[in-house]
Amino acid sequence: MTARSAAKAEALGVKIAFTHEDVSYEMDPAMSWDLDAMEAFEDGNLVTCIRLILGPEQYAKFKPRGTKRTVGDLSALFETIQKAAGTPN
């Protein structure tokens, strides 16, 4: 998604669809993100931040029960989220 598309989704209040590692996700525009997500990010808790942005069902798509993921995997997902939302890195 381009910054222009993200801005349009923001203006219309519609979900932003994006793909990461061939898995489809959708999220609210950045201005609608729960403030707890931003506080988690500020506190350095990226896992909680992403869980709050995506919700538990979509986070489970990223990390299904019993699978192993790395901090690098999580960082890559967050970069994809930032790009889709049109927010600065």
Side-chain angles (χ1 to χ4, degrees), residues 20-86:
H20 180 75
E21 296 178 343
D22 296 326
V23 177
S24 297
Y25 299 90
E26 65 177 26
M27 65 185 168
D28 291 327
M31 292 301 286
S32 298
W33 291 351
D34 188 318
L35 189 55
D36 289 344
M38 295 300 89
E39 289 174 348
F41 179 76
E42 189 175 76
D43 291 342
N45 193 336
L46 192 55
V47 173
T48 298
C49 176
I50 291 174
R51 278 186 183 150
L52 289 169
I53 290 170
L54 293 181
E57 289 177 8
Q58 290 193 109
Y59 185 79
K61 288 168 53 174
F62 168 71
K63 187 181 182 300
R65 188 174 300 276
T67 62
K68 203 168 188 180
R69 285 294 203 160
T70 67
V71 172
D73 296 331
L74 190 71
S75 293
L77 174 60
F78 192 64
E79 286 179 27
T80 302
I81 288 170
Q82 287 180 299
K83 184 180 282 187

